[in-house]
mmCIF file of all heavy atoms in Angstrom:
data_model
loop_
_atom_site.group_PDB
_atom_site.id
_atom_site.type_symbol
_atom_site.label_atom_id
_atom_site.label_comp_id
_atom_site.label_asym_id
_atom_site.label_seq_id
_atom_site.Cartn_x
_atom_site.Cartn_y
_atom_site.Cartn_z
ATOM 1 N N TYR A 15 10.753 13.622 -10.402
ATOM 2 C CA TYR A 15 11.558 12.403 -10.416
ATOM 3 C C TYR A 15 11.931 11.863 -9.041
ATOM 4 O O TYR A 15 12.004 10.713 -8.835
ATOM 5 C CB TYR A 15 12.873 12.677 -11.236
ATOM 6 C CG TYR A 15 12.595 12.988 -12.749
ATOM 7 C CD1 TYR A 15 12.576 14.302 -13.205
ATOM 8 C CD2 TYR A 15 12.313 11.956 -13.486
ATOM 9 C CE1 TYR A 15 12.282 14.486 -14.514
ATOM 10 C CE2 TYR A 15 11.995 12.182 -14.937
ATOM 11 C CZ TYR A 15 11.990 13.482 -15.364
ATOM 12 O OH TYR A 15 11.694 13.693 -16.670
ATOM 13 N N VAL A 16 12.001 12.813 -8.025
ATOM 14 C CA VAL A 16 12.127 12.323 -6.607
ATOM 15 C C VAL A 16 10.867 11.642 -6.178
ATOM 16 O O VAL A 16 10.849 10.573 -5.541
ATOM 17 C CB VAL A 16 12.442 13.603 -5.781
ATOM 18 C CG1 VAL A 16 12.403 13.077 -4.281
ATOM 19 C CG2 VAL A 16 13.793 14.183 -6.063
ATOM 20 N N GLY A 17 9.687 12.136 -6.687
ATOM 21 C CA GLY A 17 8.440 11.509 -6.413
ATOM 22 C C GLY A 17 8.330 10.128 -6.935
ATOM 23 O O GLY A 17 7.795 9.238 -6.383
ATOM 24 N N LEU A 18 8.893 10.000 -8.198
ATOM 25 C CA LEU A 18 9.002 8.716 -8.850
ATOM 26 C C LEU A 18 9.779 7.685 -7.971
ATOM 27 O O LEU A 18 9.353 6.515 -7.854
ATOM 28 C CB LEU A 18 9.612 8.821 -10.180
ATOM 29 C CG LEU A 18 9.670 7.591 -11.165
ATOM 30 C CD1 LEU A 18 9.442 8.028 -12.636
ATOM 31 C CD2 LEU A 18 11.013 6.919 -11.099
ATOM 32 N N VAL A 19 10.916 8.123 -7.459
ATOM 33 C CA VAL A 19 11.742 7.256 -6.588
ATOM 34 C C VAL A 19 10.983 6.884 -5.322
ATOM 35 O O VAL A 19 11.076 5.699 -4.940
ATOM 36 C CB VAL A 19 13.060 7.973 -6.281
ATOM 37 C CG1 VAL A 19 13.866 7.110 -5.272
ATOM 38 C CG2 VAL A 19 13.886 8.157 -7.613
ATOM 39 N N TYR A 20 10.377 7.920 -4.764
ATOM 40 C CA TYR A 20 9.549 7.631 -3.477
ATOM 41 C C TYR A 20 8.451 6.597 -3.811
ATOM 42 O O TYR A 20 8.262 5.581 -2.964
ATOM 43 C CB TYR A 20 8.959 8.851 -3.008
ATOM 44 C CG TYR A 20 9.959 9.827 -2.230
ATOM 45 C CD1 TYR A 20 9.501 11.109 -1.940
ATOM 46 C CD2 TYR A 20 11.074 9.326 -1.799
ATOM 47 C CE1 TYR A 20 10.412 11.915 -1.280
ATOM 48 C CE2 TYR A 20 12.038 10.212 -1.193
ATOM 49 C CZ TYR A 20 11.568 11.439 -0.890
ATOM 50 O OH TYR A 20 12.564 12.275 -0.187
ATOM 51 N N MET A 21 7.783 6.706 -4.908
ATOM 52 C CA MET A 21 6.727 5.784 -5.175
ATOM 53 C C MET A 21 7.272 4.403 -5.424
ATOM 54 O O MET A 21 6.730 3.402 -5.037
ATOM 55 C CB MET A 21 5.948 6.216 -6.379
ATOM 56 C CG MET A 21 4.714 5.475 -6.769
ATOM 57 S SD MET A 21 3.774 6.155 -8.101
ATOM 58 C CE MET A 21 2.365 5.008 -8.173
ATOM 59 N N PHE A 22 8.406 4.365 -6.101
ATOM 60 C CA PHE A 22 9.099 2.996 -6.365
ATOM 61 C C PHE A 22 9.397 2.312 -5.022
ATOM 62 O O PHE A 22 9.160 1.151 -4.860
ATOM 63 C CB PHE A 22 10.370 3.215 -7.195
ATOM 64 C CG PHE A 22 10.862 2.035 -7.808
ATOM 65 C CD1 PHE A 22 10.825 1.844 -9.142
ATOM 66 C CD2 PHE A 22 11.592 1.128 -7.078
ATOM 67 C CE1 PHE A 22 11.312 0.709 -9.779
ATOM 68 C CE2 PHE A 22 12.152 -0.078 -7.641
ATOM 69 C CZ PHE A 22 12.000 -0.235 -9.003
ATOM 70 N N ASN A 23 9.965 3.131 -4.103
ATOM 71 C CA ASN A 23 10.339 2.579 -2.789
ATOM 72 C C ASN A 23 9.119 2.102 -1.983
ATOM 73 O O ASN A 23 9.162 1.128 -1.284
ATOM 74 C CB ASN A 23 11.110 3.610 -1.934
ATOM 75 C CG ASN A 23 12.550 3.747 -2.377
ATOM 76 O OD1 ASN A 23 13.091 2.797 -2.863
ATOM 77 N ND2 ASN A 23 13.167 4.886 -2.130
ATOM 78 N N LEU A 24 7.978 2.857 -2.128
ATOM 79 C CA LEU A 24 6.855 2.470 -1.447
ATOM 80 C C LEU A 24 6.260 1.115 -1.880
ATOM 81 O O LEU A 24 5.847 0.302 -1.094
ATOM 82 C CB LEU A 24 5.731 3.540 -1.578
ATOM 83 C CG LEU A 24 4.355 3.216 -1.017
ATOM 84 C CD1 LEU A 24 4.321 3.256 0.493
ATOM 85 C CD2 LEU A 24 3.319 4.190 -1.528
ATOM 86 N N ILE A 25 6.183 0.927 -3.236
ATOM 87 C CA ILE A 25 5.548 -0.278 -3.816
ATOM 88 C C ILE A 25 6.529 -1.526 -3.571
ATOM 89 O O ILE A 25 5.936 -2.533 -3.232
ATOM 90 C CB ILE A 25 5.261 -0.065 -5.324
ATOM 91 C CG1 ILE A 25 4.288 1.059 -5.492
ATOM 92 C CG2 ILE A 25 4.823 -1.331 -5.916
ATOM 93 C CD1 ILE A 25 3.978 1.342 -6.884
#
Side-chain angles (χ1 to χ4, degrees):
Y15 295 103
V16 172
L18 183 144
V19 173
Y20 283 167
M21 187 173 180
F22 197 105
N23 280 337
L24 172 71
I25 295 177

